[in-house]
Amino acid sequence: MRATHRLHEIAAIAQHRAGYSPEEDAAHELAAGWMHAAGLETHVDAGGNLHGRRGDARVWSGSHLDSVPTAGRFDGALGVVAAIEAAERLPGAPLGVVVFRAEETGPLGSRRLDELPAAFVELHIEQGPVLAGLGQALGIVTGVAGQTRGAVVFEGRADHAGTTPMDARDDALVAAATFVLRVRESARGSAVATVGAVEVEPNAVNVVPARVTVSVDARARTSAELDELVAAIGFEPGSRVEPVAFSGAPLAALRAVLPGAPELVSGAGHDAMVLAEAGVPTAMLFVRSLNGGVSHHPDELSSDEDVARGIDALTAALDRLALP
Ligand SMILES: [Zn+2]
């Protein structure tokens, strides 16, 4: 299948294609060639984003071609390849395909658009195991979860690990361990909360830990659920990104094209979130991720059949949206 072959071509440039690097440039050049072959006129905007347009392109689809150092072949690239395939299958439709710069380290490019479309649809690999668990190839994304991050510091006292009786210790890591369990228990329903980084001082095998810093990453579908989660965990977030709800014609088009498809909220940020925040009616289509939904990893995988289904659905949705 051509889409699969193109994903391999992008991956062959480099596994790590950092935003605004020569590797990302090379991926954009490759995509520009495919856009020309699909009958699109290309230009690059001030933010370095690549656009392929046909006619009065008010409806856009696309994603990103930058990648993390440990990347697989599908994250971002699948959405670009699928959008170009869809544009080629709809030769009469005024459509735009966009390749955003530096999604993984921002998103940066999608925040630097000099114009906005009337509607945007992004196809993306799920980056999780939900669709595979449901036995469904495709899912409609109704929004992006809100996210808070922060750090909590536990102060104890450094003591000799051999000479200090257990009841005479003030062990900061034991206190932090209790907190880690509370973080896990606080995430109810669809909310998720993670301690992914721990710093132990002095971090020596024979010293009772004196000071421990733990990170907290907490995400939920609505502002109210995020408030509840933060309160249940009991920490002061250092940063907060509000949830984004998708809406309008793109969401309606996906629902019309995929009746009964599962609907989910993305736990990860995407360029689509940036466009939705800017007021563009936006939706996303997720393609089932195999291998347990592993993401940012070489084992990241969607089957050829599911990729084909995704391109079919994206094409049908864009066809509806681009109707005059
Ligand atoms: Zn991505």
Side-chain angles (χ1 to χ4, degrees):
M1 198 171 70
R2 185 169 70 177
T4 312
H5 182 71
R6 287 180 170 178
L7 292 175
H8 277 285
E9 279 188 79
I10 292 166
I13 293 169
Q15 181 181 23
H16 185 202
R17 301 178 302 277
Y20 298 104
S21 70
E23 291 78 16
E24 192 197 39
D25 291 346
H28 277 229
E29 269 172 44
L30 207 50
W34 297 334
M35 285 174 172
H36 289 139
L40 303 172
E41 280 178 39
T42 62
H43 75 275
V44 175
D45 68 20
N49 304 298
L50 171 66
H51 298 266
R53 301 271 177 87
R54 185 194 297 123
D56 179 23
R58 312 264 303 136
V59 176
W60 296 3
S61 183
S63 193
H64 61 94
L65 291 175
D66 65 313
S67 62
V68 298
T70 58
R73 299 195 308 278
F74 294 83
D75 182 347
L78 180 58
V80 171
V81 166
I84 295 172
E85 291 286 341
E88 187 162 340
R89 288 191 201 175
L90 300 168
L95 286 174
V97 176
V98 57
V99 186
F100 298 111
R101 286 280 186 173
E103 191 274 344
E104 300 288 3
T105 46
L108 296 179
S110 49
R111 294 194 200 281
R112 294 180 62 192
L113 290 171
D114 40 29
E115 57 177 322
L116 293 170
F120 179 68
V121 182
E122 179 174 3
L123 179 149
H124 204 283
I125 188 170
E126 184 198 338
Q127 299 182 277
V130 175
L131 290 174
L134 294 170
Q136 297 281 329
L138 304 175
I140 297 168
V141 186
T142 57
V144 178
Q147 178 180 340
T148 58
R149 282 187 185 170
V152 181
V153 177
F154 295 85
E155 302 276 4
R157 192 181 62 246
D159 278 310
H160 194 290
T163 60
T164 315
M166 296 310 287
D167 60 2
R169 297 178 181 205
D170 185 3
D171 186 325
L173 186 54
V174 171
T178 307
F179 176 77
V180 172
L181 293 175
R182 188 161 94 221
V183 169
R184 187 178 68 173
E185 281 150 18
S186 300
R188 301 272 166 83
S190 62
V192 290
T194 307
V195 172
V198 178
E199 219 173 276
V200 180
E201 296 167 53
N203 205 27
V205 289
N206 59 348
V207 182
V208 175
R211 185 182 156 94
V212 174
T213 307
V214 301
S215 67
V216 181
D217 175 310
R219 307 184 192 207
R221 290 177 182 209
T222 66
S223 267
E225 284 169 0
L226 197 54
D227 289 341
E228 265 176 50
L229 180 58
V230 168
I233 294 171
F235 79 112
E236 266 323 307
S239 71
R240 178 173 172 127
V241 178
E242 290 301 322
V244 173
F246 295 150
S247 64
L251 192 55
L254 288 176
R255 284 173 172 157
V257 164
L258 294 168
E263 300 199 347
L264 43 155
V265 168
S266 173
H270 293 287
D271 294 306
M273 173 186 81
V274 177
L275 271 80
E277 279 172 346
V280 177
T282 295
M284 289 184 77
L285 178 62
F286 272 174
V287 177
R288 170 165 50 191
S289 176
L290 303 175
N291 294 334
V294 65
S295 175
H296 289 177
H297 189 280
D299 290 345
E300 180 184 76
L301 182 68
S302 287
S303 71
D304 281 0
E305 296 73 29
D306 288 355
V307 167
R309 288 182 178 116
I311 293 170
D312 288 348
L314 179 67
T315 304
L318 293 176
D319 194 20
R320 280 175 173 264
L321 290 166
L323 287 176

